[in-house]
Amino acid sequence: MNDQYYKFIVFFTTLLCMRFAQTTEGSVVSTGDFNKDFFVTWSPNHVNTSADGRERSLALDQKSGAGFASNQMFLFGQIDMQIKLVPGDSAGTVVAYYLTSDQPNRDEIDFEFLGNVAGQPYILQTNIFADGFDNREERINLWFDPTKDFHIYSILWNLHQIVFMVDWVPIRVYRNHADKGVGFPRWQPMSIKVSLWNGDSWATRGGKDKIDWSKGPFIASFRNHKIDACVWNGNARFCRAESSTNWWHKEKFSSLTSTQRRLFRWVRKYHMIYDYCQDNERFQNNLPKECSLPKY
């Protein structure tokens, strides 16, 4: 796919998503105000929120990182967050944006942004925990500089699939193959969590590049969050039902569209740098079952 064609596809997809967003406004449960939708979980003096609550930044220094989490828990839906990552020499830093059930057999859907030495591409790692089991990491190099401006990072989670998106481009799909014995997050409600922390024991070149504290404090910024999801009130059947508010379960969202498939294949061909489903050495030639099953 050439660059011009890619730009056309992204433009077309964005138009579709803008129209789509207008038609699903009725089920949005977030206020857009970080002070109302989230609480600070870690190091309040390293969290800075704009006067109107619409933008928030986290800082990492030698004393501490920081984090925040949603006030509510959710079972299925779509979460969007605009993020601007740590600029400059960010080696060893990790920005995490994820859903988690926080149970011993937890379910989790992760975006992890792995900082790098200045001039090297940012690595985006995704991971999924299902019934307490993980080892499902994928890594891509982002095709833009995520420190220059805000970009939209989204998770669509329904009964059919989990789709990770960057600016509406699907970068990863994890299908529900529970009927074939594959774990899939479908019963445990999850909260949204965001954090910035010291991961220099592993994050950059396997821990070879450490944090240069003289370049700190390291700042990541967040804005325009949108939570369009089923709020957990103890009734899994309500969140699993197809309804006008639970739009994400509808048939049209059960798989990628033809346009999304083209973009998905483009990402995997030109930007993927690690796929657990190709790591025979790690799994001793016994790859997880979903690796041989369709992604869409």
Side-chain angles (χ1 to χ4, degrees):
M1 186 185 296
N2 62 42
D3 187 58
Q4 225 174 6
Y5 183 58
Y6 165 70
K7 288 178 179 177
F8 168 76
I9 293 294
V10 172
F11 175 72
F12 180 69
T13 304
T14 303
L15 286 178
L16 285 178
C17 290
M18 287 171 64
R19 179 177 295 179
F20 164 74
Q22 292 170 356
T23 62
T24 60
E25 196 68 30
S27 58
V28 176
V29 296
S30 54
T31 67
D33 186 333
F34 282 98
N35 292 320
K36 294 179 180 178
D37 295 332
F38 296 89
F39 66 97
V40 175
T41 56
W42 179 25
S43 194
N45 61 346
H46 285 61
V47 180
N48 184 50
T49 308
S50 63
D52 62 2
R54 299 280 162 173
E55 188 168 332
R56 173 168 285 177
S57 64
L58 299 180
L60 168 67
D61 58 24
Q62 282 183 288
K63 293 181 181 178
S64 182
F68 58 91
S70 60
N71 293 322
Q72 296 173 307
M73 301 189 79
F74 311 95
L75 186 62
F76 304 115
Q78 182 166 308
I79 316 298
D80 307 322
M81 182 80 73
Q82 290 189 14
I83 305 174
K84 183 161 65 173
L85 296 174
V86 177
D89 193 336
S90 59
T93 68
V94 178
V95 175
Y97 156 54
Y98 59 108
L99 299 171
T100 181
S101 65
D102 285 332
Q103 299 296 321
N105 60 329
R106 77 182 187 273
D107 290 339
E108 195 166 291
I109 304 171
D110 298 343
F111 274 108
E112 292 177 306
F113 303 90
L114 311 183
N116 218 331
V117 295
Q120 295 298 311
Y122 243 93
I123 292 174
L124 169 54
Q125 173 170 287
T126 57
N127 196 7
I128 291 175
F129 288 69
D131 301 323
F133 295 97
D134 65 334
N135 296 329
R136 293 178 168 93
E137 299 94 340
E138 291 186 3
R139 291 185 178 186
I140 66 167
N141 282 326
L142 292 169
W143 52 92
F144 52 86
D145 184 344
T147 72
K148 298 295 186 185
D149 203 353
F150 286 90
H151 291 266
I152 306 168
Y153 302 91
S154 306
I155 296 168
L156 171 66
W157 171 33
N158 60 35
L159 282 167
H160 312 286
Q161 61 180 351
I162 296 166
V163 184
F164 295 80
M165 292 176 281
V166 176
D167 292 334
W168 307 119
V169 175
I171 65 162
R172 180 175 184 176
V173 182
Y174 185 81
R175 287 206 64 76
N176 184 351
H177 290 298
D179 60 336
K180 299 178 178 65
V182 176
F184 185 86
R186 63 195 191 279
W187 294 108
Q188 299 185 63
M190 295 196 265
S191 60
I192 306 163
K193 292 192 174 181
V194 177
S195 59
L196 170 59
W197 46 283
N198 176 359
D200 72 2
S201 63
W202 65 276
T204 309
R205 291 204 308 138
K208 292 179 181 178
D209 294 322
K210 304 296 185 181
I211 292 180
D212 181 353
W213 294 110
S214 70
K215 301 292 196 329
F218 303 95
I219 308 290
S221 302
F222 309 84
R223 73 179 188 190
N224 293 346
H225 65 277
K226 181 179 177 183
I227 305 168
D228 197 348
C230 185
V231 177
W232 175 252
N233 289 313
N235 188 342
R237 287 186 180 180
F238 176 79
C239 289
R240 292 169 63 87
E242 184 177 314
S243 66
S244 58
T245 51
N246 294 355
W247 55 263
W248 41 84
H249 292 318
K250 293 184 181 295
E251 181 66 25
K252 64 193 272 189
F253 304 109
S254 64
S255 188
L256 299 183
T257 66
S258 58
T259 300
Q260 288 177 319
R261 292 179 189 187
R262 290 192 192 104
L263 288 167
F264 177 68
R265 290 193 292 266
W266 177 84
V267 170
R268 299 182 78 78
K269 181 176 181 179
Y270 293 105
H271 296 283
M272 173 163 277
I273 54 176
Y274 177 79
D275 179 1
Y276 75 104
C277 279
Q278 297 178 4
D279 197 340
N280 279 295
E281 182 178 352
R282 178 183 184 184
F283 292 99
Q284 299 179 339
N285 293 316
N286 186 26
L287 293 172
K289 181 178 272 188
E290 68 269 15
C291 294
S292 61
L293 296 171
K295 292 189 182 297
Y296 50 78

